Amino acid sequence: MHSRVHLVLASMDSLDLVSPYLFKYKRRNFLVKDELRPTGLDALQHFEIRPTDIFLVTYPKSGTIWMQQILVQIMDAAHPESAEDATNRSRVPWLEGRTADNPFRERTDPRIFRSHLPPDMLPQGVKAKQIKVVYVWRNPKDVLVSLYHFAHSWVLLETPQSFEDFFQQFLAGKVYMGSWFDHIRDYHNTRDQLNICFVQYENMLKDLRGEVVKLCAFLGKDLTDEAIDHVVEMSTFESMKTNPKANYKDLVETNTYKKKTMRKGIAGDWKNVFTVAQNEDFDNVFKEKMSNLPLTCIWEIKE
């Protein structure tokens, strides 16, 4: 027992700690309480990529679980012979996570992986083999609020002292995975080197079917109208809330999450939380960091 504790402490010594919960590596922040360390993160560069693999990439709390459901449904419709009766979490394993699933287990093609890694830390085969990458992004004010709530639920993250504290950490990039602004900028800047499809979370809220049709085209999956309707129906927020394969219910039951993680699934929830001063602060940082990126955020959707 003691030797294991010493090993853990020894490996902690060499980490560049941002907090007791996060360590910094290659400008990003990773989880101290997960098993992956810098050597393991580096090893992912050499993970064997197959030409049919699909990567779902997001900054945390940008619609990962939702897009995971959509991709699983599209692939099941296109490849019914390889459909698995398992949770989405195990069907779309998290490349850099080690607490819940094994991303390296044998699976039939086409495989889907999810990741929060920046482009320079993805397996080299993603670029070399030009595999399809679906990048989902969401307006960062809602990401901040969602991550704040998530930090109260996920045992691997530090529970925020206050919203103001967390707000400042987010703007400074001192949260899990580092700066939202860096993440989206890095993917936007490398878009010509990757085979990437950008999907905006708020567009999925506005026209889910339209976004599913675009995804099918990007993925080269020719589905019937009925099949597309089924994908959409299975991927609504209401449907997923009651679907244990989609909503990570098992992680609540095993106390990895302290409460349900699917909260509202709307655009504009930040308006219920931000103060006027916080909103001004945020807008100033946003202008400064995003001025030369041609991406337009959708801050809210009027009912």
Side-chain angles (χ1 to χ4, degrees):
M1 170 67 193
H2 290 302
S3 60
R4 168 139 178 81
V5 172
H6 286 307
L7 274 173
V8 171
L9 290 174
S11 75
M12 293 272 293
D13 283 346
S14 55
L15 292 177
D16 178 5
L17 291 178
V18 179
S19 76
Y21 288 79
L22 297 173
F23 68 89
K24 193 184 206 90
Y25 186 58
K26 294 188 172 171
R27 301 184 303 132
R28 296 300 185 285
N29 302 328
F30 296 93
L31 301 162
V32 168
K33 289 187 166 187
D34 203 350
E35 287 163 30
L36 218 54
R37 294 292 179 252
T39 45
L41 285 162
D42 285 345
L44 290 176
Q45 294 266 291
H46 309 291
F47 176 57
E48 187 62 40
I49 293 294
R50 301 176 188 165
T52 51
D53 287 345
I54 294 166
F55 264 65
L56 160 58
V57 179
T58 55
Y59 182 86
K61 309 316 292 174
S62 300
T64 321
I65 292 179
W66 193 7
M67 182 54 80
Q68 188 170 277
Q69 170 73 357
I70 293 169
L71 291 176
V72 162
Q73 293 297 319
I74 290 174
M75 300 316 267
D76 279 1
H79 306 273
E81 72 291 344
S82 58
E84 279 183 279
D85 183 23
T87 65
N88 288 352
R89 204 188 63 247
S90 62
R91 295 185 63 184
V92 186
W94 180 27
L95 187 70
E96 65 272 21
R98 292 294 174 273
T99 41
D101 312 289
N102 172 17
F104 307 128
R105 73 178 175 86
E106 236 348 276
R107 294 187 289 150
T108 54
D109 297 346
R111 304 180 302 179
I112 314 175
F113 294 91
R114 65 192 148 92
S115 177
H116 298 310
L117 292 174
D120 58 312
M121 293 179 78
L122 289 175
Q124 289 165 358
V126 172
K127 192 188 285 184
K129 296 183 178 171
Q130 284 291 294
I131 69 155
K132 293 185 162 81
V133 177
V134 176
Y135 184 87
V136 187
W137 67 287
R138 179 185 192 185
N139 93 63
K141 293 179 183 178
D142 280 334
V143 170
L144 189 161
V145 171
S146 186
L147 198 52
Y148 170 74
H149 286 291
F150 191 55
H152 285 83
S153 172
W154 197 22
V155 294
L156 301 191
L157 291 176
E158 184 170 14
T159 304
Q161 298 292 311
S162 67
F163 183 72
E164 170 62 25
D165 256 21
F166 188 80
F167 178 89
Q168 296 301 341
Q169 285 172 348
F170 184 91
L171 284 187
K174 291 186 174 163
V175 290
Y176 170 50
M177 279 318 299
S179 161
W180 177 90
F181 303 97
D182 289 352
H183 202 272
I184 192 152
R185 173 181 299 281
D186 288 349
Y187 272 97
H188 191 265
N189 289 346
T190 50
R191 67 193 184 286
D192 296 338
Q193 298 158 40
L194 297 167
N195 183 6
I196 191 167
C197 173
F198 281 81
V199 181
Q200 198 164 359
Y201 179 94
E202 292 79 11
N203 284 340
M204 290 160 63
L205 284 174
K206 286 202 240 179
D207 177 15
L208 184 54
R209 196 177 197 284
E211 294 301 308
V212 168
V213 168
K214 278 188 226 164
L215 274 167
C216 289
F218 173 69
L219 297 169
K221 305 300 172 194
D222 190 11
L223 302 188
T224 63
D225 282 349
E226 291 76 22
I228 288 172
D229 289 340
H230 181 71
V231 172
V232 172
E233 193 182 318
M234 294 294 288
S235 306
T236 64
F237 195 77
E238 290 316 309
S239 161
M240 288 175 62
K241 261 191 149 165
T242 56
N243 177 355
K245 286 183 182 162
N247 64 17
Y248 285 29
K249 183 166 175 270
D250 58 320
L251 290 190
V252 179
E253 286 164 359
T254 54
N255 299 324
T256 307
Y257 293 158
K258 295 177 214 161
K259 51 189 178 183
K260 288 181 186 153
T261 56
M262 288 188 68
R263 279 185 340 105
K264 294 185 176 175
I266 59 172
D269 191 34
W270 62 271
K271 297 186 86 167
N272 303 318
V273 190
F274 279 31
T275 63
V276 172
Q278 283 169 341
N279 195 37
E280 282 174 8
D281 276 359
F282 198 103
D283 286 347
N284 288 335
V285 173
F286 186 87
K287 273 198 197 83
E288 173 202 328
K289 298 203 182 256
M290 300 290 285
S291 57
N292 54 356
L293 275 196
L295 294 170
T296 310
C297 285
I298 299 170
W299 298 110
E300 62 179 318
I301 297 174
K302 296 270 198 283
E303 287 305 316

